[in-house]
Amino acid sequence: QVQLVESGGGSVQAGGSLRLSCAASGYTNGYYCMGWFRQAPGKERERVAHISIGSSRTYYADSVKGRFTISQDNAKNTLYLQMSSLTPEDTAMYYCAAARSGGSCQRSDGVNYWGKGTLVSISS
């Protein structure tokens, strides 16, 4: 059984930084990609960043480019999201996601596995 468990959320002031972690367990060898999505109150879930497992290529939403960095530690089966220069617009529940071959980490309907989320709150 695949499990994704996020941690690292919290409340910080604008301009601050946070690092989110996602610990993956279960059959992780079949992952095609992993990524982070977020959902703010009243808004749709949106992709923030994702990484292709095979090539390690990374992709970012325009809104976070230059501020967020996604990375993975294969030895620890852990995905990270380093976030800096945070703004109140980054306030959301952040979800770790993974997709098998044939799936996609670019959109929420392509994801096969979801974590339960970790809350990020940025105050001005």
Side-chain angles (χ1 to χ4, degrees), residues 5-70:
V5 180
E6 303 96 335
S7 61
S11 298
V12 298
Q13 289 189 327
S17 300
L18 282 172
R19 188 176 81 155
L20 306 183
S21 300
C22 171
S25 61
Y27 182 67
T28 60
N29 289 340
Y31 287 173
Y32 169 69
C33 60
M34 293 187 71
W36 292 93
F37 286 70
R38 67 186 181 186
Q39 188 166 19
K43 294 188 176 180
E44 292 187 355
R45 190 171 296 191
E46 62 173 357
R47 186 216 52 170
V48 175
H50 75 274
I51 185 167
S52 293
I53 300 302
S55 67
S56 296
R57 287 191 65 180
T58 58
Y59 306 85
Y60 297 92
D62 288 342
S63 59
V64 306
K65 278 181 183 176
R67 300 188 300 121
F68 291 11
T69 302
I70 188 171

Side-chain angles (χ1 to χ4, degrees), residues 60-121:
Y60 297 92
D62 288 342
S63 59
V64 306
K65 278 181 183 176
R67 300 188 300 121
F68 291 11
T69 302
I70 188 171
S71 61
Q72 58 181 348
D73 185 331
N74 292 330
K76 295 182 179 180
N77 278 346
T78 302
L79 184 73
Y80 301 100
L81 185 68
Q82 178 67 49
M83 307 185 294
S84 60
S85 301
L86 288 161
T87 74
E89 287 69 37
D90 295 314
T91 294
M93 185 71 80
Y94 283 70
Y95 297 92
C96 180
R100 300 186 303 266
S101 178
S104 173
C105 291
Q106 294 187 26
R107 58 187 193 278
S108 58
D109 63 358
V111 171
N112 299 114
Y113 307 105
W114 292 100
K116 293 183 178 181
T118 184
L119 184 62
V120 171
S121 179

